[in-house]
């Protein structure tokens, strides 16, 4: 029974190896949260910080870095060559991406690494933008909570001083509270948590269980500075250092949502779904 539970834990490489092997020879690109818009946002963020490098943590088989490589090709408007690196502890995913990089003749490094155990060989303060599309989700429940502090400290270590950490989660945790205090609490404004009292109660139970063993995630210095709301997904733009004023905006029309946040309407006038989807 214990072995079955361990194999189903998102922070275990065995779970993801089994996940990718289940596709047999049909392994293909997959963007976890249908975030096709993300490559354009990353490119814009690179321009804001005058960046030259992107690290995709827990990249899986995402095509994100390939889209960025094409944006920085000789035929694109971007003149600065990008250093693009993707890391994941699932060797099956990394081998697939390496083959695709060769086939598409793009300069991207893909490495088998477990961020919670350290990104060996990656220098401190070496990336302008670090992207997380669901990797944090592995560290807010179960045994993964014991690795939360190490994960956040490693992200902060490799991020440049003026760099941006782009976080796109679907977990139930209040992200701002988590980064500021290291404590995992249920975000009751997220759909799936607030949708019913039973779901909210279960989320609180999971948070209490996680905090029973979690090592406080302190010392990383990361704080949420901006939140972009896009079709039930919240993209948290985090920086090293305190946030003087949180910026919140609709990802479709750009409408300022600072006064309304976090008690958001279900939809913006432009039709964008504002409330964050969260697995509860």
């Amino acid at each position: 029974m214990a072995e079955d539970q361990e194999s189903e834990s998102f922070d275990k490489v065995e779970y993801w190896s089994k996940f990718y092997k289940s596709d047999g020879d049909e392994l293909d690109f997959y963007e976890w949260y249908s975030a096709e818009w993300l490559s354009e946002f990353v490119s814009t963020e690179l321009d804001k910080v005058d960046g030259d490098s992107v690290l995709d943590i827990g990249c899986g088989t995402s095509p994100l870095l390939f889209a960025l490589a094409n944006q920085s090709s000789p035929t694109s408007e971007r003149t600065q060559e990008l250093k693009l690196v993707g890391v994941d502890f699932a060797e099956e995913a990394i081998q697939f991406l390496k083959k695709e990089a060769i086939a598409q003749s793009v300069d991207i490094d893909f490495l088998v690494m477990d961020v919670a155990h350290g990104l060996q060989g990656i220098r401190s303060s070496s990336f302008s933008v670090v992207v997380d599309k669901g990797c944090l989700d592995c560290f807010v429940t179960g045994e993964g909570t014991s690795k939360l502090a190490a994960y956040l400290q490693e992200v902060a270590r490799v991020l440049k001083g003026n760099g941006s950490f782009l976080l796109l989660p679907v977990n139930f945790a209040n992200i701002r509270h988590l980064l500021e205090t290291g404590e995992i609490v249920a975000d009751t404004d997220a759909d799936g948590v607030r949708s019913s009292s039973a779901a909210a109660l279960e989320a609180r139970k999971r948070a209490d269980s996680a905090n029973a063993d979690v090592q406080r995630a302190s010392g990383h210095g990361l704080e949420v500075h901006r939140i972009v709301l896009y079709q039930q997904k919240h993209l948290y733009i985090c920086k090293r250092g305190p946030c003087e004023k949180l910026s919140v905006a609709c990802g479709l029309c750009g409408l300022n949502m600072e006064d309304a946040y976090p008690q958001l309407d279900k939809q913006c006038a432009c039709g964008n779904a504002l409330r964050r989807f969260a697995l509860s």
Side-chain angles (χ1 to χ4, degrees), residues 176 224-226 242-248 256 258-259:
R176 291 181 69 201
V224 178
H225 283 228
R226 287 183 287 140
C243 172
E244 295 183 2
K245 181 175 174 57
L246 179 69
S247 170
V248 185
N256 187 311
E258 292 169 15
D259 293 337

Side-chain angles (χ1 to χ4, degrees), residues 200-249:
L201 179 60
E202 178 61 24
R204 286 195 295 272
K205 286 181 178 178
R206 291 174 65 186
D208 291 342
S209 176
N211 286 317
D213 300 315
V214 71
Q215 299 175 13
R216 294 292 179 182
S218 60
H220 55 77
L222 295 167
E223 286 194 20
V224 178
H225 283 228
R226 287 183 287 140
I227 305 176
V228 177
L229 318 174
Y230 187 86
Q231 301 295 16
Q232 284 194 288
K233 304 172 188 70
H234 288 190
L235 178 62
Y236 298 86
I237 298 90
C238 312
K239 298 278 192 178
R240 289 167 61 182
C243 172
E244 295 183 2
K245 181 175 174 57
L246 179 69
S247 170
V248 185

Side-chain angles (χ1 to χ4, degrees), residues 23 25 52 55 67 87 95 105 114 142 144 160 163 176 213 221 231 278:
D23 287 335
D25 296 330
D52 60 0
L55 173 65
V87 300
Q95 291 305 320
S105 300
D114 184 346
K160 289 184 177 181
R176 291 181 69 201
D213 300 315
Q231 301 295 16

Side-chain angles (χ1 to χ4, degrees), residues 130-164:
V130 176
V131 182
D132 173 334
K133 306 182 308 307
C135 192
L136 179 71
D137 298 342
C138 298
F139 305 120
V140 296
T141 58
E143 295 180 11
T145 57
S146 65
K147 305 172 185 176
L148 176 61
Y151 164 74
L152 291 173
Q153 288 164 6
E154 194 65 356
V155 169
R157 181 185 71 80
V158 301
L159 188 66
K160 289 184 177 181
N162 69 330
S164 296

Side-chain angles (χ1 to χ4, degrees), residues 171-175 177-178 181 183-188 203-204 207-208 211 276:
N171 66 69
F172 64 88
N174 182 313
I175 301 302
H177 186 84
L178 185 151
T181 70
E183 183 183 20
I184 302 169
V185 299
D187 184 356
T188 56
R204 286 195 295 272
D208 291 342
N211 286 317
R276 181 166 71 97

Side-chain angles (χ1 to χ4, degrees), residues 66-86:
F66 290 84
L68 290 170
N70 291 329
Q71 289 177 9
S72 63
S73 70
T75 59
S76 72
E77 295 181 2
R78 182 179 293 279
T79 57
Q80 191 174 27
E81 185 176 353
L82 290 177
K83 177 174 74 171
L84 301 171
V85 180

